[in-house]
């Protein structure tokens, strides 16, 4: 397709065809989609600009509930974490009296582990040694003593980086032997984007909306059987607590999934970035690793598992630092050596993000000067999120035509919206049409369900529960009003 | 190759074959090599551990000159930068009297541009708006007024991230239409690693060691002609000032390269992370963009160029923050939309790294309270590097069998070492053998030339000029002694 012609333009200058065009570029990149920052969000940013420039709208501000970005929605950072980060950035502050001793101690410990005592040095590619050790001890505490080897912990540039790296290791083959990776639908679109870019086969398994977005073993089985006809399924990804669906998996469900993965020889990838975000009565976070070990050596010695965590979510919501880790279990030694080599090419994850990850897994302990404030801030944030989860579910369920599962965990609600026939016929992407209209008329920015995947003929939107309570109430009231108007208009 | 057998182990537990093995993993990952953190460096870390544990060695410390990591080698961070970063991390400090007003102003400006006023919020995927504007103004000043559109600036996670992203866009095709990318030999091994991972064809062009590692047009031409027989060459990468070779390209040379790229329809990638690291008399940094625009509209309206910068090098040496940017010029609009989409999948570059990049391009100005200290620190660091560049060249050239080009810029020397016949016959990789022996006998950690590429039958090592002057002198004296001993031993 690329031709090498050049032509004279009006002003007498030769203009050549580009080397890099949409036709000559990497085709797998073209297949990538990422709705969380898609057209709706771009339009929202434009509208914000228009408002600033004085353009009249039926609303005075855009309320964004499109992305799980807690600080952007006004959540305050944990004081202790930021004190230590300031100390690490400018160690002169260690000489000041204004910081508590435990903050200073943490900063000294991190700085000592950095080359030249500076967070400006590259760290080891796998992450700073003492941070990986702290992560390992955190995992052991979290999982009731199940051992964790720091050599299996890799610090990452956000969980995104770990997930993409792991998928990269897994993918190979062409045609019917192309690697297939099972992902839940609805999914967090990083997965579909990474699989598209890697040229792997995306194998969808649907979560059961009727049963509070839980995983069905029979669905896993039939989706796998179907996929085996045209690709080589190698891995199964789970997000728990769920994004965009907000469910928290039961221990039984996790057990079933592990047995399934063992039987079907699938590499497990457990995305557990919302591990502290559990709100619903009777729900509890169970890590895949813990359950794996409780199933005994037949499983714990065999099933390959990578699990992911991040500084971006939970009670800290520190997205901008791009901190995270992954732990790999039962990974083949030669493959792990390849993983270590692969991560070395990018040199290292951001050191401030590593420091922050360290603070998350090594937070102030009872008796330390910052403990009380830390616990107060942590609890306040998590309680507020729990309230907003409840509020969201309750108000949305008062709207005729909207059905909303309980937000058991994470930071999102993914309600089912019934759209009038006429709107479905008129629009190519009815939920996109709905969300765009909602944005233009009310200033509320949500993401259409199609960006995450949904059963054919069903429609949803994803909204975060992160706006401050007063704004969240406005948002929910406006959605209610809009939905009723929209339904009338297109009936 | 993957079979599904499982066998009973001694303790009565079923052990299955792994899903992910060296045979079933992504083959392109296996092809990746990255010598800067390869076996020599791993052995150096082991030796350090042994020394700490009291193992007796012919030396008491490992001196590392394997990686361009200034802070790890004792270089001090710029005070102003770290003050602003501390303020951004913990904005409470804005209320303290201990910080100069310009530092506070910079911090306020950055925080205002962050979601919720927090560096813990995700930024726009392309980077914070005001940082991209500051980058654009910096580029305009640097290039004598050549215009720069902030929309063409992408903040990145270190320059590494930008380079890999750009290569990812370029690569496609199979067999004889596979994308080829021209890289200098010796090269910075990020390039070969990324090309291996992407399955692209690496097209080598050799730098001219006799002419101080300059680029030869005839070499470019013949290497391209040869490559056209078996792949589709699409891009040409240049590192200026050079890593590992330390040369600074003349304006004439850059002009020639641009004309060559225009004529041969190649996308230019200019790695300019060492743009402030120019030491030699008569040498000066010329950006590819500036020269491109000076060649007139036939070039400046047509030639596609991506250039890269980083917080990791120059006088700041802030590697751990993973800050960087790339600017794209004459990129096809549709391709650029794809680029913007692609970077959104990873959400955003680390915000502290973006803040640091902002400070680099918007440093204290005359009249501002921090200006004098800033200039003092900057100049001191760059003068010291210039001294060490000179020292390295001079001492190495006193060693019979070592020939060292002047270190005109960057942070490295890449001397030619003549190895005795017997050592070449005995070792599979003679320069690796040499460096490993050097490490074991003297504790000095260098990287063999083979990690960067070199003409067949020639041998080199790369050493950074970063160790503190006293250590650098010890290092050079030890290399001298070792080289003489080694030559005797194997003659
Ligand atoms: C389920 C899930 N996984 C991974 C990520 C990536 O987070 P980060 O890269 O910021 O750690 C997110 C972000 O929203 C997420 O929701
Ligand atoms: C020539 C060159 N390009 C790019 C990089 C990558 O630097 P970073 O990713 O830290 O910005 C380096 C690092 O040494 C380099 O030498």
């Amino acid at each position: 397709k690329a031709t090498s012609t050049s032509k004279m333009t009006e002003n007498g200058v030769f203009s050549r065809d580009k080397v890099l065009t949409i036709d000559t570029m990497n085709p797998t990149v073209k297949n990538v989609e990422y709705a969380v920052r898609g057209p709706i969000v771009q339009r929202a940013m434009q509208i914000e600009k228009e408002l600033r420039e004085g353009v009249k709208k039926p609303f005075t501000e855009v309320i964004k509930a499109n992305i799980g970005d807690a600080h952007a929605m006004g959540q305050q950072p944990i004081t202790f974490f930021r004190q230590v980060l300031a100390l690490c950035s400018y160690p002169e502050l260690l000489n000041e009296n204004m910081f508590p001793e435990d903050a200073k101690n943490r900063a000294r410990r991190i700085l000592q582990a950095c080359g030249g005592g500076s967070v400006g040095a590259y760290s080891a590619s796998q992450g700073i040694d003492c941070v990986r050790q702290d992560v390992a001890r955190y995992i052991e505490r979290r999982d009731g003593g199940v051992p964790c080897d720091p050599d299996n912990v890799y610090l990452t540039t956000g969980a995104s980086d770990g997930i993409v790296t792991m998928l990269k290791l897994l993918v190979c083959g062409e045609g019917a032997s192309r690697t297939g990776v099972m992902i839940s639908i609805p999914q967090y679109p990083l997965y579909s984007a990474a699989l598209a870019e890697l040229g792997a086969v995306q194998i969808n398994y649907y979560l059961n909306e009727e049963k509070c977005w839980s995983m069905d073993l029979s669905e896993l089985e039939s989706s796998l059987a179907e996929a085996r006809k045209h690709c080589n399924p190698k891995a199964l990804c789970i997000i728990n607590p769920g994004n965009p669906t907000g469910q928290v998996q039961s221990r039984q469900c996790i057990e079933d999934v592990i047995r399934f993965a063992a039987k079907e020889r699938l590499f497990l990838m457990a995305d557990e970035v919302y591990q502290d975000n559990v709100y619903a009565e009777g729900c509890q976070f169970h890590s895949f690793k813990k359950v794996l070990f409780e199933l005994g050596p037949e499983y714990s010695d065999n099933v390959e598992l990578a699990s992911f965590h991040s500084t971006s979510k939970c009670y800290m919501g520190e997205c901008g630092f791009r901190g995270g880790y992954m732990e790999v279990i039962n990974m083949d030694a030669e493959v792990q050596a390849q993983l270590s080599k692969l991560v070395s090419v990018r040199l290292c994850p951001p050191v401030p993000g590593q420091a922050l990850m360290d603070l998350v897994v090594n937070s102030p302990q009872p008796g330390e000067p910052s403990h009380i404030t830390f616990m107060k801030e942590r609890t306040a944030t998590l309680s507020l999120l729990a309230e907003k989860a409840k509020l969201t579910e309750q108000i949305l369920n008062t709207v005729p035509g909207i059905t909303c599962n309980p937000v058991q965990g994470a930071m999102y609600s993914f309600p089912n919206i019934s759209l009038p026939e006429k709107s479905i016929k008129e629009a190519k992407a009815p939920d996109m049409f709905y969300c765009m209209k909602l944005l233009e008329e009310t200033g509320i920015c949500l993401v259409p369900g199609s960006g995450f995947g949904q059963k054919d003929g069903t429609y949803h939107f994803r909204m975060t529960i992160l706006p401050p309570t007063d704004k969240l109430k406005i948002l929910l009231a406006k959605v209610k009003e809009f939905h009723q108007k929209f339904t009338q208009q297109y009936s």
Side-chain angles (χ1 to χ4, degrees), chain A:
Chain A
K1 272 177 195 165
T3 52
S4 184
T5 55
S6 65
K7 48 187 180 296
M8 191 79 83
T9 62
E10 294 149 44
N11 41 7
V13 163
F14 276 103
S15 152
R16 339 177 280 171
D17 285 354
K18 306 267 182 206
V19 177
L20 185 58
T21 67
I22 199 81
D23 294 322
T24 65
M25 71 175 281
N26 188 339
T28 67
V29 170
K30 277 188 275 187
N31 298 334
V32 168
E33 282 179 32
Y34 195 70
V36 179
R37 300 203 153 185
I40 297 261
V41 185
Q42 264 150 39
R43 179 68 190 129
M45 275 154 62
Q46 256 173 28
I47 292 180
E48 278 185 323
K49 205 171 152 226
E50 290 170 19
L51 283 174
R52 276 196 304 273
E53 287 163 356
V55 180
K56 281 270 171 305
K57 302 266 174 193
F59 48 88
T60 55
E61 69 167 334
V62 172
I63 303 181
K64 284 197 203 142
N66 62 296
I67 184 167
D69 187 352
H71 289 202
M73 293 289 99
Q75 184 181 308
Q76 292 307 303
I78 297 285
T79 304
F80 179 77
F81 292 177
R82 293 307 196 89
Q83 287 175 331
V84 179
L85 288 168
L87 288 160
C88 288
S89 298
Y90 189 50
E92 286 288 304
L93 293 172
L94 286 165
N95 305 322
E96 301 291 328
N97 288 327
M98 60 199 301
F99 291 100
E101 271 313 309
D102 49 354
K104 289 189 181 178
N105 288 338
R106 290 292 195 295
R108 280 193 204 99
R109 182 156 175 278
I110 292 166
L111 288 171
Q112 266 162 26
C114 291
S118 168
V119 289
Y122 290 122
S123 74
S125 302
Q126 194 172 347
I128 299 171
D129 271 5
C130 84
V131 178
R132 290 190 292 108
Q133 282 156 17
D134 288 349
V135 167
R137 279 198 295 263
Y138 161 82
I139 293 174
E140 289 179 349
R141 281 196 310 276
R142 183 197 68 187
D143 292 343
V146 175
C148 174
D149 182 345
D151 287 347
N152 292 336
V153 173
Y154 290 75
L155 296 178
T156 57
T157 306
S160 305
D161 171 44
I163 293 164
V164 172
T165 300
M166 201 50 240
L167 289 173
K168 199 183 274 177
L169 283 180
L170 278 160
V171 166
C172 65
E174 290 296 326
S177 63
R178 263 209 297 169
T179 296
V181 176
M182 301 182 76
I183 63 173
S184 59
I185 300 293
Q187 54 126 7
Y188 175 60
L190 168 67
Y191 289 89
S192 50
L195 293 175
E197 202 188 309
L198 290 165
V201 178
Q202 170 180 331
I203 307 172
N204 296 337
Y205 66 89
Y206 287 87
L207 299 176
N208 190 336
E209 183 161 17
E210 280 69 49
K211 289 198 190 149
C212 206
W213 296 116
S214 61
M215 269 172 97
D216 265 358
L217 207 55
S218 62
E219 167 67 16
L220 285 178
E221 280 162 356
S222 60
S223 133
L224 181 65
E226 185 53 38
R228 286 231 161 97
K229 295 179 190 159
H230 58 89
C231 72
N232 177 19
K234 274 201 333 211
L236 168 56
C237 301
I238 305 102
I239 307 175
N240 177 49
N243 177 6
T245 37
Q247 86 286 12
V248 176
Q249 286 178 356
S250 68
R251 201 188 165 293
Q252 182 60 50
C253 169
I254 294 173
E255 224 183 279
D256 292 347
V257 171
I258 293 173
R259 290 185 202 276
F260 172 79
K263 179 159 149 273
E264 302 292 352
R265 295 177 38 73
L266 295 169
F267 191 109
L268 278 175
M269 290 177 55
D271 182 334
E272 302 178 327
V273 302
Y274 298 101
Q275 54 192 267
D276 294 331
N277 298 106
V278 176
Y279 316 118
E281 287 283 319
C283 283
Q284 199 189 324
F285 172 71
H286 302 277
S287 79
F288 265 76
K289 184 183 179 195
K290 178 159 189 255
V291 178
L292 179 64
F293 277 72
E294 287 168 355
L295 288 179
E298 190 186 332
Y299 294 92
S300 64
D301 288 356
N302 284 306
V303 176
E304 295 151 76
L305 169 68
S307 61
F308 306 92
H309 196 13
S310 167
T311 58
S312 301
K313 313 293 164 180
C314 298
Y315 62 92
M316 49 281 182
E318 294 276 13
C319 308
F321 281 84
R322 314 306 295 120
Y325 73 74
M326 81 174 156
E327 183 192 12
V328 294
I329 291 156
N330 291 321
M331 183 177 261
D332 177 80
E334 282 177 298
V335 174
Q336 198 166 336
Q338 294 287 328
L339 168 59
S340 299
K341 179 192 69 181
L342 183 61
V343 298
S344 77
V345 175
R346 299 280 192 116
L347 299 166
C348 70
V351 174
Q354 295 188 47
L356 190 51
M357 194 75 245
D358 188 59
L359 300 170
V360 170
V361 296
N362 185 19
S363 56
Q365 293 307 301
E368 289 190 313
S370 303
H371 182 250
I372 292 175
T373 309
F374 169 73
M375 287 308 291
K376 219 191 280 176
E377 292 175 352
R378 182 184 193 280
T379 311
T381 300
L382 290 175
S383 316
L384 191 59
L385 285 172
E387 261 173 47
K388 293 196 280 193
K390 196 104 211 160
L391 186 74
T392 303
E393 177 201 344
Q394 282 171 347
I395 300 189
L396 285 177
N397 278 326
T398 65
V399 187
I402 295 189
T403 324
C404 176
N405 271 319
V407 182
Q408 299 173 329
M411 303 175 164
Y412 314 94
S413 163
F414 197 70
N416 190 303
I417 47 177
S418 53
L419 297 183
E421 273 309 313
K422 211 158 57 158
S423 76
I424 297 177
K425 278 201 192 110
E426 252 176 52
K428 252 197 291 186
D431 54 359
M432 171 68 89
F433 177 71
Y434 177 95
C435 288
M436 196 59 100
K437 231 171 138 59
L438 175 71
L439 173 65
E440 297 287 352
E441 292 181 13
T442 68
I444 285 167
C445 177
L446 308 179
V447 190
S450 47
F452 307 90
Q454 54 199 351
K455 276 215 166 124
D456 279 348
T458 70
Y459 302 101
H460 303 76
F461 58 72
R462 187 189 78 166
M463 61 169 281
T464 74
I465 58 169
L466 294 173
T469 312
D470 54 337
K471 293 238 169 108
L472 185 62
K473 283 183 181 157
I474 299 175
L475 185 158
L476 291 164
K478 284 195 177 180
V479 168
K480 184 170 184 168
E481 197 193 325
F482 172 82
H483 190 81
Q484 290 166 333
K485 229 181 80 192
F486 185 90
T487 307
Q488 277 170 6
Q489 194 177 347
Y490 289 92
S491 287

